[in-house]
Amino acid sequence: MFHSLLIISLLFSLCNAAVQDFCVADLKGPQGPAGYSCKSAGVVTADDFVYSGLSGAGNISSLIKAAVTPAFVEQYPGVNGLGLSAARLDLAPGGVIPLHTHPGASELLLVTQGIIQAGFISSANAVYVKTLKKGDLMIFPQGLLHFQINGGGVTAVGFPIFSSPSPGLQILDFALFANDLSTDLVSKTTFLDPALIKKLKAVLGGSG
């Protein structure tokens, strides 16, 4: 009985010893599966826990008339190891964030201006679409295809919160048409007309 209590006490002490209040990322080191290594606590300041990069609008003059400004671990080292990050979404009238996934995180979108039509597709191919207004929240489960479209006549703004410091991103259109995957293979795997594929590759900078 005594030995069992001693082992439990030792394990409890080791667990407590491993607990840290925070782990501000040392961006000079490599990033591993668990994130970045920690900056020395002696050089951590309050500035490491504050990020002002989302205060201004992003550039919405691009092809998709939209901008996503990230506050991931690379921009905001204080989120390292804490299981969350954020971004700012700006959508001009007619703007769209195409179908995409975040392999490493779920997303919670808060709309702060305008109207955003958003939705996701489940692994069973069920579609969930809502029109969101100021103050609305919508969740997009990890790894599922989802999109956001400006649903009104004024610029829309939202703030996505992610369940990882590095949520990852793969945009479906870019995965198909913005690289050197051959037109023949894209056609065979999507049943799209080769002429259309070549046109989309030309627009998005792909080849093959």
Side-chain angles (χ1 to χ4, degrees):
M1 180 67 176
F2 174 76
H3 289 91
S4 297
L5 291 174
L6 182 62
I7 291 172
I8 292 172
S9 176
L10 179 60
L11 289 173
F12 183 74
S13 297
L14 289 173
C15 288
N16 278 341
V19 171
Q20 292 180 236
D21 291 333
F22 51 79
C23 177
V24 175
D26 179 2
L27 298 179
K28 296 178 181 178
Q31 184 180 24
Y36 287 93
S37 59
C38 306
K39 183 189 292 188
S40 172
V43 298
V44 171
T45 71
D47 289 340
D48 289 307
F49 304 103
V50 177
Y51 184 68
S52 302
L54 304 186
S55 59
N59 181 4
I60 52 178
S61 63
S62 64
L63 174 68
I64 61 175
K65 298 181 180 179
V68 177
T69 306
F72 302 157
V73 66
E74 289 80 8
Q75 297 82 29
Y76 191 7
V79 302
N80 188 53
L82 298 182
L84 79 168
S85 60
R88 174 179 172 137
L89 169 62
D90 293 280
L91 286 163
V96 56
I97 300 296
L99 280 169
H100 64 283
T101 71
H102 302 291
S106 294
E107 175 183 344
L108 178 68
L109 174 66
L110 169 64
V111 178
T112 60
Q113 177 180 304
I115 297 172
I116 296 178
Q117 186 176 27
F120 67 89
I121 304 169
S122 76
S123 57
N125 292 320
V127 179
Y128 302 88
V129 178
K130 287 290 290 185
T131 298
L132 310 174
K133 61 184 185 301
K134 181 179 179 180
D136 286 344
L137 292 165
M138 186 168 183
I139 191 77
F140 306 95
Q142 181 174 341
L144 297 185
L145 284 167
H146 59 286
F147 64 89
Q148 290 97 17
I149 299 172
N150 188 320
V154 300
T155 297
V157 179
F159 288 86
I161 307 299
F162 300 95
S163 62
S164 168
S166 299
L169 172 67
Q170 185 172 39
I171 299 175
L172 181 60
D173 292 350
F174 291 178
L176 290 172
F177 309 117
N179 54 34
D180 61 356
L181 184 61
S182 73
T183 295
D184 181 58
L185 286 176
V186 175
S187 179
K188 286 178 179 177
T189 56
T190 64
F191 307 105
L192 293 174
D193 181 76
L196 176 60
I197 294 169
K198 290 178 179 179
K199 181 178 181 180
L200 290 169
K201 279 181 171 288
V203 170
L204 296 177
S207 62

